[in-house]
Amino acid sequence: SLLCTFLLTPFIGRKIAYDEEFRTKYIPKWYDYTLEKPANAWTKEELHEQIVMLQKQLHERAIRGEFTPEKLDEMRRNFGEGTKPAVEEKYAHFAKLHPGVDDDEDLEDD
């Protein structure tokens, strides 16, 4: 009986998760932790319209010459300075392969 219960558990769980009628009939209200699905902020059509509008704006900016290599370099310089938090330097050693190995040290065996 324990083996049968073990094998049937995934099927019963799926039934509880997806079948509203089964859940209301066999699961007590005090044990039902089901959350209502929130309404989407945008419909698919509205999201598509937003993406198309963004593409048009980027295209118009490119035509006006806002994305020349010089301006892109300036944006990268200005954007890169203030965006990195000071905490990153404190924990920079976590990104290393090994704390005792220097970045320029060769890791391959001779």
Side-chain angles (χ1 to χ4, degrees), residues 26-104:
Y26 294 107
I27 306 299
K29 290 287 184 199
W30 58 269
Y31 192 73
D32 188 11
Y33 295 101
T34 307
L35 299 175
E36 294 295 324
K37 185 177 178 182
N40 290 337
W42 286 336
T43 63
K44 289 182 182 180
E45 293 82 17
E46 290 171 336
L47 182 61
H48 177 71
E49 288 173 7
Q50 291 286 328
I51 292 172
V52 169
M53 186 171 51
L54 179 63
Q55 286 176 337
K56 283 182 182 179
Q57 288 174 354
L58 289 174
H59 182 72
E60 290 170 359
R61 288 176 65 188
I63 290 173
R64 288 193 304 256
E66 291 186 30
F67 299 120
T68 61
E70 297 83 23
K71 288 186 179 182
L72 287 174
D73 287 338
E74 183 181 339
M75 281 188 233
R76 287 186 189 113
R77 278 194 305 266
N78 293 338
F79 216 46
E81 290 176 0
T83 57
K84 294 186 179 181
V87 178
E88 185 175 303
E89 294 174 7
K90 181 178 177 184
Y91 297 108
H93 61 281
F94 286 120
K96 290 187 176 182
L97 184 62
H98 187 276
V101 178
D102 292 330
D103 291 334
D104 59 348

Coordinates of all heavy atoms in Angstrom, one line a residue, residues 26-104:
Y26 N -12.8 17.3 -2.8 CA -12.1 16.4 -1.9 C -11.1 17.1 -1.0 O -10.6 16.5 -0.1 CB -11.3 15.4 -2.8 CG -12.2 14.5 -3.5 CD1 -12.4 14.5 -4.9 CD2 -13.0 13.5 -2.8 CE1 -13.3 13.7 -5.5 CE2 -13.8 12.6 -3.4 CZ -14.0 12.7 -4.8 OH -14.8 11.9 -5.5
I27 N -10.7 18.4 -1.3 CA -9.7 19.0 -0.4 C -10.5 20.0 0.5 O -11.2 20.9 0.0 CB -8.7 19.8 -1.3 CG1 -8.1 18.9 -2.3 CG2 -7.6 20.5 -0.4 CD1 -7.3 17.7 -1.7
P28 N -10.3 19.9 1.8 CA -10.9 20.9 2.7 C -10.5 22.3 2.5 O -9.3 22.6 2.1 CB -10.6 20.4 4.1 CG -9.6 19.3 4.0 CD -9.5 19.0 2.5
K29 N -11.3 23.3 2.8 CA -11.0 24.7 2.6 C -9.8 25.1 3.4 O -9.0 25.9 2.9 CB -12.2 25.6 2.9 CG -13.3 25.5 2.0 CD -13.0 26.1 0.7 CE -14.2 26.1 -0.2 NZ -13.9 26.3 -1.6
W30 N -9.6 24.6 4.6 CA -8.5 25.0 5.5 C -7.2 24.5 4.9 O -6.1 25.0 5.3 CB -8.7 24.5 6.9 CG -8.9 23.1 7.1 CD1 -10.1 22.4 7.0 CD2 -7.9 22.1 7.2 NE1 -9.8 21.0 7.2 CE2 -8.5 20.8 7.3 CE3 -6.5 22.2 7.3 CZ2 -7.8 19.7 7.5 CZ3 -5.8 21.0 7.5 CH2 -6.4 19.8 7.6
Y31 N -7.2 23.5 4.0 CA -6.0 23.0 3.5 C -5.7 23.5 2.1 O -4.6 23.2 1.5 CB -6.1 21.4 3.5 CG -4.8 20.7 3.2 CD1 -3.8 20.7 4.2 CD2 -4.5 20.1 2.0 CE1 -2.6 20.0 4.0 CE2 -3.3 19.5 1.8 CZ -2.4 19.5 2.8 OH -1.2 18.8 2.5
D32 N -6.6 24.2 1.5 CA -6.4 24.7 0.1 C -5.6 26.0 0.1 O -6.1 27.0 0.6 CB -7.8 24.9 -0.5 CG -7.7 25.2 -2.0 OD1 -6.6 25.0 -2.6 OD2 -8.7 25.5 -2.6
Y33 N -4.4 25.9 -0.4 CA -3.6 27.1 -0.4 C -3.5 27.7 -1.9 O -2.5 28.3 -2.2 CB -2.2 26.8 0.1 CG -2.1 26.4 1.5 CD1 -2.0 25.1 1.9 CD2 -2.2 27.4 2.5 CE1 -2.0 24.8 3.2 CE2 -2.1 27.1 3.8 CZ -2.0 25.8 4.2 OH -2.0 25.4 5.5
T34 N -4.5 27.5 -2.6 CA -4.5 27.9 -4.0 C -4.6 29.4 -4.1 O -5.4 30.1 -3.4 CB -5.7 27.3 -4.8 OG1 -5.7 25.9 -4.6 CG2 -5.6 27.7 -6.3
L35 N -3.7 30.0 -4.9 CA -3.8 31.5 -5.1 C -4.5 31.8 -6.4 O -4.3 31.1 -7.4 CB -2.3 32.0 -5.2 CG -1.5 31.9 -3.9 CD1 -0.1 32.3 -4.2 CD2 -2.1 32.6 -2.8
E36 N -5.2 32.9 -6.5 CA -5.8 33.3 -7.7 C -4.8 33.8 -8.7 O -3.9 34.5 -8.3 CB -6.9 34.4 -7.4 CG -8.0 33.9 -6.6 CD -8.9 32.8 -7.3 OE1 -9.0 32.9 -8.6 OE2 -9.3 31.9 -6.6
K37 N -4.9 33.5 -9.9 CA -4.0 33.9 -10.9 C -4.3 35.4 -11.2 O -5.4 35.8 -11.5 CB -4.2 33.2 -12.2 CG -3.2 33.5 -13.3 CD -3.4 32.6 -14.5 CE -2.4 33.0 -15.6 NZ -2.6 32.2 -16.8
P38 N -3.2 36.3 -11.0 CA -3.4 37.7 -11.2 C -3.7 38.0 -12.7 O -3.2 37.3 -13.6 CB -2.1 38.3 -10.7 CG -1.1 37.3 -10.9 CD -1.8 36.0 -10.7
A39 N -4.4 39.1 -12.9 CA -4.6 39.5 -14.3 C -3.3 40.1 -14.8 O -2.6 40.8 -14.1 CB -5.8 40.6 -14.3
N40 N -3.1 39.9 -16.1 CA -1.9 40.5 -16.7 C -2.0 42.0 -16.8 O -3.1 42.5 -17.0 CB -1.7 39.9 -18.1 CG -1.3 38.4 -18.1 OD1 -0.8 37.9 -17.1 ND2 -1.6 37.7 -19.2
A41 N -0.9 42.6 -16.6 CA -0.9 44.1 -16.7 C -1.2 44.5 -18.2 O -1.9 45.5 -18.4 CB 0.5 44.6 -16.3
W42 N -0.7 43.8 -19.1 CA -0.9 44.1 -20.5 C -1.5 42.9 -21.2 O -1.1 41.8 -20.9 CB 0.4 44.5 -21.3 CG 0.9 45.9 -20.9 CD1 0.2 46.9 -20.5 CD2 2.2 46.3 -21.1 NE1 1.0 48.0 -20.3 CE2 2.2 47.7 -20.7 CE3 3.4 45.7 -21.5 CZ2 3.4 48.4 -20.7 CZ3 4.5 46.5 -21.5 CH2 4.5 47.8 -21.1
T43 N -2.3 43.1 -22.3 CA -2.7 42.0 -23.1 C -1.5 41.8 -24.1 O -0.6 42.6 -24.2 CB -4.0 42.3 -23.9 OG1 -3.7 43.4 -24.7 CG2 -5.1 42.6 -22.9
K44 N -1.6 40.7 -24.9 CA -0.6 40.4 -25.9 C -0.5 41.5 -26.9 O 0.5 41.9 -27.4 CB -0.8 39.1 -26.5 CG -0.6 37.9 -25.6 CD -0.8 36.6 -26.3 CE -0.6 35.4 -25.4 NZ -0.8 34.1 -26.1
E45 N -1.7 42.0 -27.3 CA -1.8 43.1 -28.3 C -1.1 44.3 -27.8 O -0.4 45.0 -28.5 CB -3.2 43.3 -28.7 CG -3.9 42.2 -29.4 CD -4.4 41.1 -28.5 OE1 -4.6 41.4 -27.3 OE2 -4.7 40.0 -29.0
E46 N -1.4 44.7 -26.5 CA -0.8 45.9 -26.0 C 0.7 45.8 -25.9 O 1.5 46.7 -26.2 CB -1.4 46.2 -24.6 CG -2.8 46.7 -24.6 CD -3.4 46.7 -23.3 OE1 -3.0 46.1 -22.3 OE2 -4.4 47.5 -23.1
L47 N 1.2 44.6 -25.4 CA 2.6 44.4 -25.4 C 3.3 44.5 -26.7 O 4.3 45.1 -26.9 CB 2.9 43.0 -24.7 CG 4.4 42.7 -24.5 CD1 5.1 43.7 -23.6 CD2 4.5 41.3 -24.0
H48 N 2.6 43.9 -27.7 CA 3.1 44.0 -29.1 C 3.2 45.4 -29.6 O 4.2 45.8 -30.2 CB 2.2 43.1 -30.0 CG 2.6 43.2 -31.5 ND1 3.8 42.6 -31.9 CD2 2.1 43.8 -32.5 CE1 3.9 42.8 -33.2 NE2 2.9 43.6 -33.6
E49 N 2.2 46.2 -29.3 CA 2.2 47.6 -29.7 C 3.3 48.4 -29.0 O 4.0 49.2 -29.6 CB 0.8 48.3 -29.3 CG -0.3 47.8 -30.1 CD -1.7 48.4 -29.6 OE1 -1.7 49.2 -28.7 OE2 -2.7 48.0 -30.2
Q50 N 3.6 48.1 -27.7 CA 4.7 48.7 -27.0 C 6.0 48.4 -27.7 O 6.9 49.2 -27.8 CB 4.7 48.3 -25.5 CG 3.6 48.8 -24.7 CD 3.7 50.3 -24.4 OE1 4.8 50.8 -24.3 NE2 2.6 51.0 -24.3
I51 N 6.2 47.1 -28.0 CA 7.5 46.7 -28.7 C 7.6 47.3 -30.0 O 8.7 47.8 -30.4 CB 7.5 45.1 -28.8 CG1 7.6 44.5 -27.4 CG2 8.7 44.7 -29.6 CD1 7.5 43.0 -27.3
V52 N 6.6 47.4 -30.8 CA 6.6 48.0 -32.1 C 6.9 49.5 -32.0 O 7.8 50.0 -32.7 CB 5.3 47.8 -32.9 CG1 5.3 48.6 -34.2 CG2 5.2 46.3 -33.3
M53 N 6.3 50.2 -31.0 CA 6.6 51.6 -30.8 C 8.0 51.8 -30.4 O 8.7 52.7 -30.9 CB 5.6 52.1 -29.7 CG 5.8 53.6 -29.5 SD 4.5 54.4 -28.5 CE 4.6 53.3 -27.0
L54 N 8.6 50.9 -29.5 CA 10.0 51.0 -29.1 C 10.9 50.8 -30.3 O 11.9 51.6 -30.5 CB 10.3 50.0 -28.0 CG 11.7 50.0 -27.5 CD1 12.1 51.3 -26.9 CD2 11.9 48.8 -26.6
Q55 N 10.6 49.9 -31.2 CA 11.4 49.7 -32.4 C 11.4 50.9 -33.3 O 12.4 51.3 -33.8 CB 10.9 48.4 -33.2 CG 11.2 47.1 -32.5 CD 10.6 45.9 -33.2 OE1 9.6 46.1 -34.0 NE2 11.2 44.8 -33.0
K56 N 10.2 51.5 -33.4 CA 10.1 52.7 -34.3 C 11.0 53.8 -33.7 O 11.6 54.5 -34.4 CB 8.7 53.2 -34.4 CG 7.8 52.3 -35.3 CD 6.4 52.9 -35.4 CE 5.6 52.1 -36.4 NZ 4.2 52.6 -36.4
Q57 N 10.9 54.0 -32.4 CA 11.7 55.1 -31.7 C 13.2 54.8 -31.9 O 13.9 55.8 -32.2 CB 11.3 55.1 -30.2 CG 9.9 55.7 -29.9 CD 9.6 55.6 -28.5 OE1 10.3 55.0 -27.7 NE2 8.4 56.2 -28.1
L58 N 13.6 53.6 -31.7 CA 15.0 53.3 -31.9 C 15.5 53.5 -33.3 O 16.5 54.0 -33.6 CB 15.3 51.9 -31.5 CG 15.3 51.6 -29.9 CD1 15.5 50.2 -29.7 CD2 16.4 52.5 -29.2
H59 N 14.6 53.2 -34.3 CA 14.9 53.4 -35.7 C 15.0 54.8 -36.0 O 15.9 55.3 -36.7 CB 13.8 52.7 -36.5 CG 14.0 52.8 -38.0 ND1 15.0 52.1 -38.6 CD2 13.4 53.5 -39.0 CE1 14.9 52.3 -39.9 NE2 14.0 53.2 -40.1
E60 N 14.1 55.6 -35.5 CA 14.1 57.1 -35.7 C 15.3 57.7 -35.1 O 16.0 58.6 -35.7 CB 12.8 57.8 -35.2 CG 11.6 57.4 -36.0 CD 10.3 57.9 -35.3 OE1 10.4 58.4 -34.2 OE2 9.2 57.6 -35.8
R61 N 15.7 57.3 -33.9 CA 16.9 57.8 -33.3 C 18.2 57.4 -34.1 O 19.1 58.2 -34.2 CB 17.1 57.2 -31.9 CG 16.1 57.8 -30.9 CD 16.1 57.2 -29.6 NE 17.4 57.5 -28.9 CZ 17.8 57.0 -27.8 NH1 17.0 56.1 -27.2 NH2 19.0 57.3 -27.3
A62 N 18.2 56.2 -34.7 CA 19.3 55.8 -35.5 C 19.4 56.6 -36.8 O 20.5 57.0 -37.2 CB 19.2 54.3 -35.8
I63 N 18.2 57.0 -37.4 CA 18.2 57.8 -38.6 C 18.8 59.2 -38.2 O 19.5 59.8 -39.0 CB 16.8 57.9 -39.2 CG1 16.4 56.5 -39.8 CG2 16.7 59.0 -40.2 CD1 15.0 56.4 -40.2
R64 N 18.4 59.7 -37.0 CA 18.9 61.1 -36.6 C 20.3 61.0 -36.3 O 20.9 62.1 -36.1 CB 18.1 61.5 -35.4 CG 16.6 61.9 -35.8 CD 16.0 62.7 -34.6 NE 16.1 62.0 -33.3 CZ 15.0 61.4 -32.8 NH1 13.8 61.4 -33.4 NH2 15.1 60.7 -31.6
G65 N 21.0 59.9 -36.2 CA 22.4 59.8 -35.9 C 22.8 59.8 -34.5 O 23.9 60.2 -34.1
E66 N 21.9 59.3 -33.6 CA 22.2 59.2 -32.2 C 23.0 58.1 -31.8 O 23.5 58.0 -30.7 CB 20.9 59.2 -31.4 CG 20.1 60.5 -31.4 CD 18.9 60.4 -30.5 OE1 18.9 59.8 -29.5 OE2 17.9 61.1 -30.8
F67 N 23.3 57.1 -32.7 CA 24.0 55.9 -32.4 C 25.3 55.9 -33.2 O 25.7 54.8 -33.7 CB 23.2 54.7 -32.6 CG 22.0 54.6 -31.8 CD1 20.7 54.6 -32.3 CD2 22.1 54.7 -30.4 CE1 19.6 54.5 -31.5 CE2 20.9 54.6 -29.6 CZ 19.7 54.6 -30.2
T68 N 26.0 57.0 -33.4 CA 27.3 57.0 -34.1 C 28.3 56.3 -33.1 O 28.1 56.3 -31.9 CB 27.7 58.4 -34.4 OG1 27.8 59.2 -33.2 CG2 26.7 59.0 -35.4
P69 N 29.4 55.8 -33.7 CA 30.4 55.2 -32.8 C 30.9 56.1 -31.7 O 31.2 55.7 -30.6 CB 31.5 54.8 -33.7 CG 30.8 54.6 -35.1 CD 29.7 55.6 -35.1
E70 N 31.1 57.4 -32.0 CA 31.6 58.3 -31.0 C 30.6 58.5 -29.8 O 31.0 58.5 -28.7 CB 31.9 59.7 -31.6 CG 33.0 59.7 -32.7 CD 32.5 59.3 -34.0 OE1 31.2 59.4 -34.3 OE2 33.3 58.8 -34.9
K71 N 29.3 58.6 -30.2 CA 28.3 58.8 -29.2 C 28.1 57.5 -28.4 O 27.9 57.6 -27.2 CB 27.0 59.2 -29.8 CG 27.0 60.6 -30.3 CD 25.6 61.1 -30.8 CE 25.7 62.5 -31.3 NZ 24.4 63.0 -31.7
L72 N 28.2 56.4 -29.0 CA 28.1 55.1 -28.3 C 29.3 54.9 -27.3 O 29.0 54.5 -26.2 CB 28.1 53.9 -29.3 CG 26.8 53.7 -30.1 CD1 27.0 52.6 -31.1 CD2 25.7 53.4 -29.2
D73 N 30.5 55.3 -27.7 CA 31.6 55.3 -26.8 C 31.4 56.2 -25.6 O 31.7 55.8 -24.4 CB 32.9 55.6 -27.5 CG 33.4 54.5 -28.4 OD1 33.0 53.4 -28.2 OD2 34.2 54.9 -29.3
E74 N 30.9 57.4 -25.9 CA 30.6 58.3 -24.8 C 29.5 57.8 -23.8 O 29.6 57.9 -22.6 CB 30.1 59.7 -25.4 CG 29.9 60.7 -24.3 CD 29.4 62.0 -25.0 OE1 29.7 62.3 -26.2 OE2 28.8 62.8 -24.2
M75 N 28.5 57.2 -24.4 CA 27.4 56.6 -23.6 C 28.0 55.5 -22.7 O 27.6 55.4 -21.5 CB 26.3 56.0 -24.4 CG 25.3 57.0 -25.0 SD 24.0 56.2 -25.8 CE 24.0 56.9 -27.4
R76 N 28.8 54.6 -23.3 CA 29.4 53.5 -22.5 C 30.3 54.1 -21.4 O 30.3 53.5 -20.3 CB 30.2 52.6 -23.4 CG 29.4 51.8 -24.3 CD 30.2 50.8 -25.1 NE 29.4 50.2 -26.1 CZ 29.5 50.3 -27.4 NH1 30.5 51.0 -27.9 NH2 28.7 49.7 -28.2
R77 N 31.1 55.1 -21.6 CA 31.9 55.7 -20.6 C 31.1 56.3 -19.5 O 31.3 56.1 -18.3 CB 32.8 56.8 -21.2 CG 34.1 56.3 -21.8 CD 35.0 57.4 -22.1 NE 34.4 58.5 -22.8 CZ 34.5 58.6 -24.2 NH1 35.2 57.8 -24.9 NH2 34.0 59.6 -24.8
N78 N 30.0 57.1 -19.8 CA 29.2 57.7 -18.8 C 28.4 56.7 -18.1 O 28.1 56.8 -16.9 CB 28.3 58.7 -19.5 CG 29.1 59.9 -20.0 OD1 30.2 60.2 -19.6 ND2 28.5 60.6 -21.0
F79 N 27.9 55.7 -18.8 CA 27.1 54.7 -18.2 C 27.8 53.7 -17.3 O 27.4 53.3 -16.2 CB 26.4 53.8 -19.3 CG 25.0 53.5 -19.0 CD1 24.1 54.4 -18.4 CD2 24.5 52.2 -19.2 CE1 22.8 54.0 -18.1 CE2 23.2 51.8 -18.9 CZ 22.4 52.7 -18.4
G80 N 29.1 53.4 -17.6 CA 29.9 52.5 -16.9 C 30.4 53.0 -15.5 O 30.7 52.2 -14.6
E81 N 30.5 54.3 -15.4 CA 31.2 54.9 -14.2 C 30.3 54.8 -13.0 O 30.7 54.3 -11.9 CB 31.5 56.4 -14.4 CG 32.6 56.6 -15.4 CD 32.9 58.0 -15.7 OE1 32.2 58.9 -15.1 OE2 33.8 58.3 -16.5
G82 N 29.0 55.1 -13.1 CA 28.2 55.2 -11.9 C 27.4 54.0 -11.6 O 26.7 53.9 -10.6
T83 N 27.4 53.0 -12.5 CA 26.5 51.9 -12.3 C 27.0 50.7 -11.5 O 26.3 50.0 -10.9 CB 26.1 51.3 -13.7 OG1 27.3 50.9 -14.4 CG2 25.4 52.3 -14.5
K84 N 28.4 50.6 -11.3 CA 28.9 49.5 -10.5 C 28.9 49.9 -9.0 O 29.4 50.9 -8.6 CB 30.3 49.2 -11.0 CG 30.4 48.7 -12.4 CD 31.8 48.3 -12.7 CE 31.8 47.7 -14.1 NZ 33.1 47.3 -14.5
P85 N 28.3 49.0 -8.2 CA 28.2 49.3 -6.8 C 29.6 49.1 -6.1 O 30.4 48.4 -6.6 CB 27.2 48.4 -6.2 CG 27.2 47.2 -7.2 CD 27.6 47.8 -8.6
A86 N 29.8 49.8 -5.0 CA 31.1 49.7 -4.3 C 31.2 48.3 -3.6 O 32.3 47.9 -3.3 CB 31.1 50.8 -3.2
V87 N 30.1 47.6 -3.4 CA 30.1 46.3 -2.8 C 30.8 45.3 -3.7 O 31.4 44.4 -3.2 CB 28.7 45.9 -2.5 CG1 28.6 44.5 -1.9 CG2 28.0 46.9 -1.6
E88 N 30.8 45.6 -5.0 CA 31.4 44.6 -5.9 C 32.9 44.4 -5.7 O 33.4 43.3 -5.8 CB 31.2 45.1 -7.4 CG 31.6 44.1 -8.4 CD 31.3 44.6 -9.8 OE1 30.1 44.8 -10.1 OE2 32.2 44.7 -10.6
E89 N 33.6 45.5 -5.3 CA 35.0 45.4 -5.1 C 35.3 44.6 -3.8 O 36.2 43.9 -3.7 CB 35.6 46.8 -4.9 CG 35.5 47.7 -6.1 CD 36.0 49.1 -5.9 OE1 36.4 49.4 -4.8 OE2 35.9 49.9 -6.8
K90 N 34.4 44.7 -2.9 CA 34.5 44.0 -1.6 C 34.5 42.5 -1.8 O 35.2 41.7 -1.2 CB 33.4 44.4 -0.6 CG 33.5 43.7 0.7 CD 32.4 44.3 1.6 CE 32.4 43.6 3.0 NZ 31.3 44.0 3.8
Y91 N 33.6 42.0 -2.8 CA 33.4 40.6 -3.0 C 34.0 40.2 -4.3 O 33.6 39.1 -4.9 CB 31.9 40.3 -3.0 CG 31.3 40.6 -1.7 CD1 30.4 41.6 -1.5 CD2 31.5 39.7 -0.6 CE1 29.8 41.9 -0.3 CE2 31.0 40.0 0.7 CZ 30.1 41.1 0.8 OH 29.5 41.3 2.0
A92 N 34.9 40.9 -4.9 CA 35.5 40.6 -6.2 C 36.3 39.2 -6.1 O 36.4 38.6 -7.1 CB 36.5 41.7 -6.6
H93 N 36.8 38.8 -5.0 CA 37.5 37.6 -4.9 C 36.6 36.4 -5.1 O 37.1 35.3 -5.4 CB 38.2 37.5 -3.5 CG 37.3 37.5 -2.4 ND1 36.8 38.7 -1.9 CD2 36.8 36.5 -1.6 CE1 36.0 38.4 -0.8 NE2 36.0 37.1 -0.6
F94 N 35.3 36.5 -5.0 CA 34.4 35.4 -5.2 C 34.4 35.0 -6.7 O 34.0 33.9 -7.1 CB 33.0 35.7 -4.7 CG 32.9 35.6 -3.2 CD1 32.5 36.8 -2.5 CD2 33.1 34.5 -2.5 CE1 32.3 36.7 -1.2 CE2 33.0 34.4 -1.2 CZ 32.6 35.6 -0.5
A95 N 34.7 35.9 -7.6 CA 34.7 35.7 -9.0 C 35.9 35.0 -9.5 O 35.9 34.5 -10.6 CB 34.5 37.0 -9.8
K96 N 36.9 34.9 -8.7 CA 38.1 34.2 -9.1 C 38.0 32.7 -9.1 O 37.1 32.2 -8.3 CB 39.3 34.6 -8.2 CG 39.7 36.0 -8.3 CD 41.0 36.3 -7.5 CE 41.5 37.7 -7.7 NZ 42.7 37.9 -7.0
L97 N 38.8 32.0 -9.9 CA 38.8 30.6 -9.9 C 39.2 30.0 -8.5 O 38.6 29.1 -8.0 CB 39.7 30.1 -11.0 CG 39.7 28.6 -11.2 CD1 38.4 28.1 -11.7 CD2 40.7 28.2 -12.3
H98 N 40.3 30.6 -8.0 CA 40.8 30.1 -6.7 C 41.4 31.4 -6.0 O 42.1 32.1 -6.7 CB 41.8 29.0 -6.8 CG 42.3 28.5 -5.5 ND1 43.2 29.0 -4.8 CD2 41.8 27.4 -4.8 CE1 43.4 28.3 -3.6 NE2 42.5 27.3 -3.7
P99 N 41.1 31.6 -4.7 CA 41.6 32.9 -4.1 C 43.2 33.0 -4.2 O 43.7 34.1 -4.2 CB 41.1 32.8 -2.7 CG 40.1 31.7 -2.7 CD 40.3 30.9 -3.8
G100 N 43.9 31.9 -4.2 CA 45.3 31.9 -4.2 C 46.0 32.0 -5.6 O 47.2 32.1 -5.7
V101 N 45.2 32.0 -6.6 CA 45.7 32.0 -8.0 C 45.5 33.4 -8.5 O 44.4 34.0 -8.5 CB 44.9 31.0 -8.9 CG1 45.4 31.1 -10.3 CG2 45.1 29.6 -8.3
D102 N 46.6 34.0 -9.1 CA 46.5 35.3 -9.7 C 45.9 35.2 -11.0 O 45.8 34.2 -11.7 CB 47.9 35.9 -9.9 CG 48.6 36.2 -8.5 OD1 47.8 36.5 -7.6 OD2 49.8 36.1 -8.4
D103 N 45.3 36.3 -11.5 CA 44.6 36.4 -12.8 C 45.5 36.0 -13.9 O 45.1 35.4 -14.9 CB 43.9 37.7 -13.0 CG 42.8 37.9 -12.0 OD1 42.2 37.0 -11.6 OD2 42.5 39.1 -11.8
D104 N 46.8 36.4 -13.9 CA 47.7 36.2 -15.0 C 48.5 34.9 -14.9 O 49.3 34.6 -15.8 CB 48.7 37.4 -15.1 CG 49.5 37.6 -13.9 OD1 49.1 37.0 -12.8 OD2 50.5 38.4 -13.9

